[in-house]
Amino acid sequence: MEALKDPVETVTTPESQFLFERMLERITAQNPSTNTERLALAYDYAHRAHHGQFRDRGEPYIIHPVEVCEICAELNMDEESLITALLHDVEEDTHFTLRDIERVFGKDVRGMVDSLTKISDANFFVRLWSRKESKVHEETLRKLFVAMAKDPRVIVIKLADRLHGLRTLVGLSKKRIIRKCKETRDFFIPLARRLGLASIYREMDDWCFYYLHPNEYLELQERVREPMAKAEIVLQEMLMELEDAFWRASIPISEIHCRKKHLASIHRKIIEKEVNLEEIYDLLAMRVVVDGPPSLCYQVLGEAHLKYPPVMHRFRDFIARPKSNGYKTLHTTVVGPSGQFVEIQIRNVEMHRQAKYGIASHWMYKENPADYNYRRDSEWNELIMMLQEEKYDPQEFVARAQTALLKDIVLTLSPKGEVISLPKGSTAIDYAYAIHTELGHATGGAKINGNRAPLFQRLQNGDVIEIIKRDIENPAPDPEWLEWAKSPRSLLKIRKWFREQPRRKRIEIGRELLFKQIQRRGLYPLNLLAADKLVSILRLLKVGSIYDIYDRIALGDLTTSDVLQHLKKVQMERALKSEPEKASAQFHLESPLVASGAELSVLDTRGKKTRQRTQLSSCCRPIPGDDIAGYYDRKRRRIIVHRAACRELISEGEKHKVKELSWDAVIDGKHYPAAVEIVSLNRAGLMYDVLGVLAARRVNLVGSHFETQFSTSGELDKAVALQMLIEVESTSELATTLDDIRQIPDIIDAKRVQSPKEIASTAIKNSKINAKRGKHSKDPAK
């Protein structure tokens, strides 16, 4: 073994020496093959490196790494991890370098010490929650995440470091205590829970509860003292009775004991579920650990239910369906001898070790722990590696990794019973991509619990998913999947496919996605997608052109919801700046529609699309299906489009050269304003019925004007005239909409009118209840 570099004479610290020797006894008892000489060398190395250093509380610094190492030893961590725990602050706080550490202890220890040092260097948790901006920290954090994905031992040592830090917070300023507890609560505890380190996250949870809410902690501690004492008496009686029953049934029991629920969990349950302390039945739970295969757990369950009546709705089988972190145990609640509810947890020795140590339970039995692949959490680990391959900028990398790491999990099943864990809120699309990328691309449909279901349906715990493949060559993801997929990993795979497509195709895909989203919200695409509105949000979205907006939507860098929110904000701001009188129905009825010819689907005289400014005249409101003509207005620099039979077009023909125009054959879901008049008996609920027809046909109402007489001032058989401006795709959709309106009881007539100016009020003055309904227009679109 190479000699230590530092010639400083070691000053013996009795307390640290005692702690280290106690830890060595524990380690050799657990794993006799451990090289205690290397551990002693690491302790001596750390002792020399931290010589003369003291913690904030005044104690020698060396005690901290020894205590961290002992926590790691309690988790059964391997020899390299224990050495790293002893040395984890050496490179950061002393003159010893990583090269020195590698020369004495090897590359494996050097790599873990390096990763742990970067956590402190990057001011990790302040940065993670975006309270500071630093590209340097983002880059080091990217490297850290990748290191964690490759070797989870790094984060387990850091968790042990943080736990000991929480144990020794007394004496620090209140501000530092609160900051560290919030970091722990927001990141360390969810991470420890995800890794299955129950003993770590429970103690952390209680420390955070104690420091952040000291009064509530002490009050709850006092409140549970008596109930727990009473419950313990009952449980001891049940323990003896059950031990006897298991002995008679020849079931080998490794251990049977009581487990106390930690205070932070009790407090959270009271707050979140709004229950009283008396309604929490697992303040104390009985835990039975069997020495044998999982089948023995069910035998124990049967004996317990024979002895005490079960509360069936509180039974949970985490052996058949484990939690996402690998937790396996039977949970049952029974009625105890005094009539109180008692929870019993049943597991075997392997499950107990897994529940107690989580990911760390495996390293004691691994020849090369760094090669261990934590499969139960592969969703996050695989995502980290994929993000690295995609070369995202550091800030986005961190944001996506953080989202994936802290999301709740939903457990689904394949038709063969394989458990697939996905982030909460995932859909069938996410399930398909979790199985295999090619299956995701080829997804054509899905069955959930044996029934056909939409691909955007959110999955629940226990759902059985079957993916129906499309039988086509070179399958590709549907653009809408960018909206439906929720798992960061599946989104990354979909975006990767789009990223490989030509920019022109991505622009088309992005525009289609935005267009569909606007339609889905029942809004007006031609209005919101007007070039002037899109241009107004370029700076907000930090893009250079409208095409960049569409491109970034296809790449997943922008969501359609974000873009739509900005567009709606622009439109609302413009509406608020308008003069009050312009908010009247008449304004809405008479305002023209202006956009490029291509956006309006109007073709020029040669039948070609044109980007020239084009206006659909408000006097006759042309829509696809109408014969149209137009002229170029030099003053306003735009093409003015009228219906061919419009009288105003005929009068304008004396000043301008009128040319015949046409509609594009592909309207692509665009909607156009059309003026209609509805004449009916005046009755309660008329507007409700008319709007119901429009809603059923997904026809948008732009504006309306209502004229009638007061029923007290004339005969009750007067009619009402309702003028409306609605949005339709074509004359055929207008015709069917008006036909549906005519089916409403008491409607006398419903027809399209040339212009709001020409809507006659004579219907109000002359129509009677016996109006001849046979006079309806046969062709309402004309």
Side-chain angles (χ1 to χ4, degrees), residues 561-604:
S561 297
D562 290 340
V563 177
L564 183 56
Q565 202 62 34
H566 285 302
L567 288 171
K568 288 170 68 176
K569 185 178 180 181
V570 168
Q571 193 164 0
M572 291 180 72
E573 287 174 352
R574 293 187 179 186
L576 290 173
K577 291 177 182 178
S578 302
E579 296 177 12
E581 61 268 17
K582 289 188 178 181
S584 66
Q586 192 70 10
F587 169 75
H588 286 298
L589 289 169
E590 296 186 3
S591 58
L593 185 61
V594 182
S596 71
E599 289 177 317
L600 294 174
S601 294
V602 174
L603 304 180
D604 60 19

Side-chain angles (χ1 to χ4, degrees), residues 142-208:
R142 178 213 289 267
K143 294 175 182 176
L144 172 64
F145 273 132
V146 174
M148 286 167 54
K150 290 180 178 178
D151 190 350
R153 293 176 298 175
V154 170
I155 197 61
V156 177
I157 298 170
K158 184 59 188 177
L159 288 168
D161 178 34
R162 176 48 62 105
L163 176 58
H164 184 254
L166 291 173
R167 290 175 179 175
T168 56
L169 281 179
V170 176
L172 299 184
S173 67
K174 186 176 180 180
K175 184 177 180 180
R176 285 183 64 187
I177 290 174
I178 291 175
R179 180 176 67 83
K180 284 186 174 294
C181 286
K182 286 184 176 180
E183 290 172 355
T184 303
R185 181 194 62 192
D186 294 342
F187 182 81
F188 282 110
I189 291 175
L191 182 56
R193 185 181 289 114
R194 183 144 186 172
L195 296 178
L197 299 169
S199 60
I200 297 289
Y201 79 72
R202 285 174 184 157
E203 187 177 347
M204 281 183 172
D205 209 8
D206 273 350
W207 279 117
C208 290

Side-chain angles (χ1 to χ4, degrees), residues 356-397:
K356 189 174 182 180
Y357 301 121
I359 186 174
S361 66
H362 298 265
W363 290 321
M364 185 176 177
Y365 305 96
K366 297 285 178 180
E367 292 182 4
N368 187 1
D371 292 337
Y372 174 65
N373 178 20
Y374 187 44
R375 295 181 181 179
R376 286 184 307 277
D377 209 26
S378 60
E379 169 81 20
W380 186 63
N381 285 348
E382 183 181 343
L383 174 73
I384 297 299
M385 303 314 294
M386 290 175 65
L387 287 171
Q388 179 73 355
E389 291 174 6
E390 286 295 300
K391 294 182 173 58
Y392 277 102
D393 67 85
Q395 188 172 0
E396 186 173 7
F397 179 97

Side-chain angles (χ1 to χ4, degrees), residues 2 34 68 90 117 137 177 191 217 244 293 325-326 405 499 558 600 603 607 649 699 723 737 766:
E2 187 172 333
T34 302
V68 172
V90 166
T117 302
H137 290 335
I177 290 174
L191 182 56
Y217 180 92
D244 183 63
N325 61 7
L405 177 61
R499 201 177 292 274
L558 278 177
L600 294 174
L603 304 180
L649 174 66
V699 172
Q723 298 90 41
T737 301
N766 302 324

Side-chain angles (χ1 to χ4, degrees), residues 708-742:
T708 187
Q709 289 180 338
F710 293 112
S711 58
T712 55
S713 63
E715 300 177 24
L716 294 178
D717 58 359
K718 300 297 182 183
V720 60
L722 175 64
Q723 298 90 41
M724 307 174 75
L725 196 65
I726 60 176
E727 294 172 344
V728 293
E729 291 185 347
S730 63
T731 54
S732 60
E733 184 181 33
L734 175 61
T736 53
T737 301
L738 291 174
D739 189 54
D740 286 352
I741 291 175
R742 290 193 199 97

